[in-house]
Amino acid sequence: MKVAVVGATGLVGTKMLQVLDERNFPVTELIPVASAKSIGKEITFKGKQYKIVSAEDAIKQKPDVAIFSAGGSTSLEQAPLFANAGITVIDNSSAWRMEPTKKLVVPEVNADVLTAEDKIIANPNCSTIQMVVALKPLHDRYKIKRVVVSTYQSVTGTGVKAVDQLFNERKGIDGPKVYPYTIDLNVIPQIDVFTENGYTKEEMKMILETKKIMGDDSIAVTATTVRIPVMGGHSESVNIEFAHEYDLSEVREVLANAPGVVVVDDIANLKYPMPLDAHDKDEVFVGRLRRDETQPNTLNCWIVSDNLRKGAATNAVQIAEYLASKHLIGQGVAV
């Protein structure tokens, strides 16, 4: 299968190449795409060298699928060009997520909505992905009424320049800054820009995307998203109110049997999910499971996942795997 990776030199693009390799996606030919300054440079994939090309050249090579991680403006401009050429696009930016005609997909939750006609498929926000993977089996069993989430998000979510800022500050180097404040030894309660209602765009993404992915507008979601000076993954404190009563031991069993979820919840031995343990893993880790004693039918939990993998690259590759398994891309695709 011919696979284009648009934004191949970025933090997520590099991770996508790693995930494609590790998961043995059937790449017969790789077409790496990046900005004009990178065209002609070479990258290595599975021991072979590939020259970076422009989007126009990539389209001419007719890949079966193009996985985008090049930012919203690039996706808005270039994704339709690929789609119009019959190429299926899986886009990691926020550009298409809330577009009513585009599917927003987490394979463990709603891959079954995909068809061969879907030529631009949106990959959700990283913090939304890990949360809905844990929420879906609980919603199916107890019906979720309301979610209150506070996030503790890794600097890798902002990109390589944010990682550089953190380590420069740690070394006492006065370098370029992508955050409005120092991030080392600090916590910044702002991710993305503020909107008119006082919430940030990141918070609104979590609120709106959760409803769309879960296919249920009745779920009330409120969010506070926070940047912290860690690497390895995003963490979330999640309070979930159900319509029905639950049993805590059954909740553990439901989660333990859910696809993509690993329960780490052994407080007697101080076992709970942490970003260090989630780093470079594809699963969503759930722990600190306990009853909210202030109101009925309500659960507290802690959710951690590697934001560059399940929160971005792995989820996109899993979408491609699903499309391939159902013959919605590649040879024999029915359009």
Side-chain angles (χ1 to χ4, degrees):
M1 195 171 291
K2 274 191 189 182
V3 179
V5 175
V6 182
T9 57
L11 206 54
V12 175
T14 303
K15 191 62 69 174
M16 280 177 176
L17 295 172
Q18 180 188 334
V19 172
L20 285 165
D21 184 0
E22 288 175 3
R23 295 176 72 92
N24 287 314
F25 190 79
V27 180
T28 52
E29 187 180 337
L30 179 73
I31 306 168
V33 181
S35 62
K37 65 175 187 275
S38 296
I39 291 170
K41 293 178 182 174
E42 291 191 339
I43 61 163
T44 305
F45 179 73
K46 290 201 169 191
K48 283 182 67 179
Q49 297 294 109
Y50 293 89
K51 269 199 167 66
I52 293 169
V53 300
S54 68
E56 293 75 20
D57 285 341
I59 292 167
K60 286 174 190 169
Q61 293 181 55
K62 292 279 186 187
D64 299 288
V65 62
I67 306 177
F68 271 62
S69 186
S73 57
T74 299
S75 292
L76 284 171
E77 179 191 336
Q78 295 183 359
L81 302 177
F82 280 80
N84 291 340
I87 301 157
T88 300
V89 172
I90 302 168
D91 180 48
N92 196 55
S93 79
S94 61
W96 304 99
R97 290 176 188 157
M98 296 313 299
E99 169 64 42
T101 61
K102 303 295 183 283
K103 309 284 175 63
L104 184 65
V105 175
V106 177
E108 295 91 339
V109 178
N110 66 335
D112 58 347
V113 301
L114 291 170
T115 70
E117 284 74 35
D118 293 310
K119 288 304 176 193
I120 298 178
I121 301 161
N123 210 34
N125 182 49
C126 47
S127 46
T128 307
I129 289 173
Q130 67 186 68
M131 185 170 75
V132 297
V133 167
L135 291 184
K136 180 61 164 65
L138 298 174
H139 185 53
D140 289 346
R141 179 67 183 83
Y142 307 109
K143 186 161 174 55
I144 294 171
K145 288 174 64 178
R146 183 171 186 255
V147 176
V148 182
V149 55
S150 298
T151 71
Y152 306 71
Q153 294 182 223
S154 162
V155 293
T156 55
T158 313
V160 69
K161 290 177 180 174
V163 176
D164 291 342
Q165 178 180 338
L166 173 63
F167 283 103
N168 280 340
E169 289 169 354
R170 198 153 283 187
K171 294 170 189 168
I173 298 168
D174 186 19
K177 294 195 185 305
V178 291
Y179 299 124
Y181 300 102
T182 298
I183 184 62
D184 191 29
L185 299 177
N186 195 22
V187 166
I188 303 175
Q190 176 194 352
I191 298 179
D192 213 324
V193 297
F194 284 100
T195 62
E196 285 184 5
N197 64 359
Y199 286 75
T200 65
K201 275 181 74 175
E202 183 84 356
E203 289 157 355
M204 293 310 299
K205 286 175 195 173
M206 292 196 76
I207 292 164
L208 298 171
E209 290 178 22
T210 298
K211 295 170 185 277
K212 183 171 179 178
I213 298 162
M214 301 280 279
D216 191 340
D217 283 339
S218 74
I219 301 172
V221 184
T222 188
T224 303
T225 58
V226 181
R227 189 71 67 191
I228 64 171
V230 300
M231 306 273 287
H234 292 345
S235 305
E236 299 171 347
S237 171
V238 188
N239 179 271
I240 311 161
E241 181 185 356
F242 299 116
H244 306 290
E245 183 52 275
Y246 67 90
D247 176 78
L248 206 49
S249 59
E250 187 185 55
V251 165
R252 287 192 179 90
E253 187 180 343
V254 167
L255 287 168
N257 292 325
V261 174
V262 175
V263 175
V264 184
D265 190 42
D266 179 9
I267 55 174
N269 292 299
L270 307 185
K271 298 291 185 187
Y272 31 71
M274 294 183 291
L276 274 175
D277 301 321
H279 179 59
D280 240 4
K281 296 186 174 71
D282 288 331
E283 296 81 11
V284 172
F285 299 87
V286 185
R288 295 299 318 279
L289 291 158
R290 62 211 188 275
R291 188 173 287 277
D292 179 343
E293 297 180 343
T294 67
Q295 66 174 11
N297 306 348
T298 304
L299 176 76
N300 282 310
C301 65
W302 178 251
I303 302 172
V304 178
S305 192
D306 185 321
N307 55 292
L308 292 183
R309 289 187 68 104
K310 183 54 186 168
T314 301
N315 198 75
V317 173
Q318 284 176 311
I319 292 171
E321 287 172 345
Y322 178 87
L323 294 169
S325 73
K326 299 295 181 184
H327 308 293
L328 302 176
I329 55 170
Q331 291 183 342
V333 60
V335 178

